[in-house]
Amino acid sequence: MIHSRWRRSRAALAVISAGLVAALVAGCGGTTKDSASEADTGSGTQRSADPNAPIKDGLKIAFLPKEIDNPYENIVDEGGIEAVTELKGTGKEVGPSDASASSQVSYINTLVQQNQDAIVIAANDPNAVAPALKDAMAKDIAVVTYDSDAAADARQVFVNQANSEDIGRKQIQLISEQIGGKGKIAILSATPNATNQNTWIKFMKDELKKPEYADIELVKIAYGDDDDQKSFQETQALLRSIPDLKGIVSPTTVGISAAARYISSSPYKGKVKLTGLGTPNQMRQFIKDGTVEAFALWDPKQLGYLAGYAAAALASGQISGAEGETLKAGKLGEREIGKDGEIILGPPTVFDADNIDQYDF
């Protein structure tokens, strides 16, 4: 089942039949696609770049989130579409109703047939989507990942919200402060194969090795699959199976809001601490009723905006994704492209009762 969003509208976009002629793709590329082809190694990942190349008018850029009804990714994609519109292009959000890689592959194939200039994707699995993304790049379609990366050779640029190490370590610091540096904790993650989740969890585990966390024990990692109901149930199961659990870290906006909803109406409110990554509008009521003390996130709309500019710059030949290049990102200024094509938005913000009303997203 195909699901799509146009800006904030829920109006469905027409499903493009598989019979569209894929060969049209080669003739409708960005301004530097011809020159890029000369440097192509065959994988489609190598492009030439001219920092003075203009952004091509009328670019078609599609945003493919992990799952179409994920509120966080909807906000990210709104920012991306805003950037594309600012650059006189056409942006849209399409995606599956489930957070599976196989569903994303179907959308990638359709977007290739639609002759998009760029695909911006939050991958549900780094490797499962790679063949389809490589096929897109082979047809001169620029590929940008955001939020959750694909295999490095299956995209040109990865727009990361913040340094992964900082995100992972910050969440342990927050839960340690809230439980007094002592007790059992659990992690409520998204899907087992989500690249960003696993990277953050790796740094959480490493942070826990420090002497100041010697009295904190990570006893379980549960997976809610970025599904609200499953995350709710996994929270319930964690608390019932581990009666002396002191805290939960949920580095996913779906997970933390579902966990907060369960805890807020349970006997565990005030006894079990919860932190992680969430949006202020999702978590405001739980901050105000005392269920949650503090959580973190970056501005998701800016993340999408940055990804939109990166996709347009790639499709226009301003950048190739090589380390050391500079991305001009409109109102966000400039960002330098790092190792393996990574562009970082900035450090995460901690939200609590003192500042949450200053944010509206």
Side-chain angles (χ1 to χ4, degrees):
M1 185 174 182
I2 301 288
H3 296 266
S4 65
R5 293 168 61 93
W6 182 264
R7 299 188 184 183
R8 301 208 66 165
S9 169
R10 302 294 299 169
L13 293 173
V15 178
I16 304 301
S17 74
L20 285 177
V21 183
L24 289 174
V25 174
C28 300
T31 53
T32 61
K33 286 184 177 178
D34 290 341
S35 59
S37 298
E38 294 175 4
D40 202 315
T41 62
S43 67
T45 59
Q46 300 298 318
R47 289 175 170 244
S48 58
D50 175 3
N52 297 316
I55 295 294
K56 183 182 178 184
D57 284 351
L59 289 172
K60 296 186 296 184
I61 298 178
F63 294 79
L64 178 51
K66 292 178 182 174
E67 186 257 318
I68 194 67
D69 292 320
N70 184 315
Y72 164 77
E73 301 217 342
N74 294 156
I75 297 171
V76 175
D77 293 340
E78 285 174 17
I81 292 170
E82 176 187 327
V84 175
T85 303
E86 196 171 283
L87 294 169
K88 301 179 181 178
T90 301
K92 66 178 180 180
E93 181 189 44
V94 296
S97 58
D98 63 308
S100 72
S102 59
S103 296
Q104 285 189 314
V105 168
S106 297
Y107 278 87
I108 295 167
N109 293 336
T110 298
L111 293 170
V112 170
Q113 293 163 358
Q114 289 178 343
N115 193 28
Q116 296 292 312
D117 290 293
I119 296 173
V120 186
I121 177 175
N124 279 318
D125 184 295
N127 298 314
V129 298
L133 293 177
K134 289 180 181 178
D135 180 58
M137 291 192 296
K139 293 179 170 62
D140 277 345
I141 296 174
V143 175
V144 172
T145 54
Y146 70 95
D147 183 42
S148 185
D149 199 7
D153 63 348
R155 48 74 172 163
Q156 280 104 6
V157 164
F158 170 45
V159 179
N160 201 352
Q161 42 265 41
N163 180 288
S164 294
E165 181 172 353
D166 290 345
I167 295 172
R169 296 190 189 282
K170 187 64 180 178
Q171 291 175 84
I172 291 301
Q173 293 161 11
L174 284 172
I175 197 66
S176 177
E177 292 169 5
Q178 294 174 21
I179 66 173
K182 185 177 183 180
K184 294 179 179 178
I185 64 170
I187 293 173
L188 176 62
S189 183
T191 59
N193 293 326
T195 314
N196 55 351
Q197 298 282 314
N198 291 334
T199 301
W200 299 334
I201 290 171
K202 181 187 73 172
F203 285 114
M204 288 185 209
K205 290 179 177 177
D206 191 66
E207 182 72 6
L208 285 169
K209 293 177 183 177
K210 293 182 178 178
E212 56 264 44
Y213 306 116
D215 293 328
I216 297 178
E217 181 184 4
L218 173 60
V219 293
K220 187 174 178 63
I221 300 174
Y223 297 95
D225 291 346
D226 260 353
D227 177 84
D228 177 79
Q229 190 57 33
K230 185 175 183 186
S231 298
F232 185 93
Q233 292 168 346
E234 289 292 335
T235 304
Q236 186 180 43
L238 280 173
L239 293 168
R240 288 182 176 177
S241 63
I242 312 170
D244 56 346
L245 192 68
K246 294 297 183 184
I248 297 174
V249 179
S250 186
T252 156
T253 58
V254 175
I256 192 174
S257 62
R261 195 170 77 254
Y262 175 75
I263 293 173
S264 66
S265 59
S266 76
Y268 302 103
K269 181 180 178 181
K271 299 176 182 176
V272 176
K273 303 299 183 181
L274 172 66
T275 191
L277 303 176
T279 68
N281 288 352
Q282 277 185 308
M283 300 301 294
R284 193 180 321 280
Q285 70 180 95
F286 304 117
I287 287 285
K288 291 185 179 292
D289 72 9
T291 301
V292 176
E293 290 183 15
F295 62 98
L297 199 68
W298 43 89
D299 187 329
K301 200 165 185 178
Q302 288 188 357
L303 177 66
Y305 184 89
L306 187 60
Y309 262 84
L314 271 171
S316 301
Q318 273 191 0
I319 61 172
S320 67
E323 184 175 5
E325 290 179 344
T326 298
L327 170 67
K328 301 168 187 172
K331 63 186 179 186
L332 296 180
E334 296 182 344
R335 296 289 190 281
E336 183 173 316
I337 299 177
K339 185 181 178 184
D340 296 328
E342 185 179 43
I343 302 174
I344 293 177
L345 175 63
T349 299
V350 175
F351 304 97
D352 56 24
D354 292 333
N355 69 357
I356 195 164
D357 284 337
Q358 299 173 23
Y359 299 90
D360 183 20
F361 63 84

